[in-house]
Amino acid sequence: MGENDVGRRIREVRAWRGLSLRATAELTGITHGYLAQLERGEKPVKNRQLLEALARTLRVSPR
């Protein structure tokens, strides 16, 4: 899965869960601006801990 695919998938799951960008970012411990950049594919998810935190927030597997 490419970097843009990860961001797109984060956005899809977030929307499916009914979470706002701001709420998801707060629950994950990052800024909403940074999360928006991740979702648009402008920044890659390089940190495994960040990926795991997003997965916990979105209630999905971090694979």
Side-chain angles (χ1 to χ4, degrees):
M1 184 177 281
E3 292 173 3
N4 288 343
D5 294 333
V6 172
R8 182 183 46 78
R9 188 71 180 129
I10 291 168
R11 184 181 310 188
E12 288 173 358
V13 174
R14 179 178 61 76
W16 185 75
R17 293 276 187 215
L19 290 167
S20 70
L21 187 75
R22 193 171 297 271
T24 303
E26 287 178 12
L27 290 168
T28 305
I30 59 176
T31 66
H32 70 279
Y34 183 55
L35 180 55
Q37 289 177 321
L38 293 175
E39 287 187 352
R40 289 191 303 262
E42 295 172 4
K43 299 254 182 179
V45 180
K46 292 183 180 178
N47 184 322
R48 176 73 182 184
Q49 290 176 323
L50 173 57
L51 184 61
E52 290 174 354
L54 282 163
R56 277 191 303 276
T57 298
L58 300 171
R59 299 184 314 247
V60 296
S61 172
R63 292 183 195 192

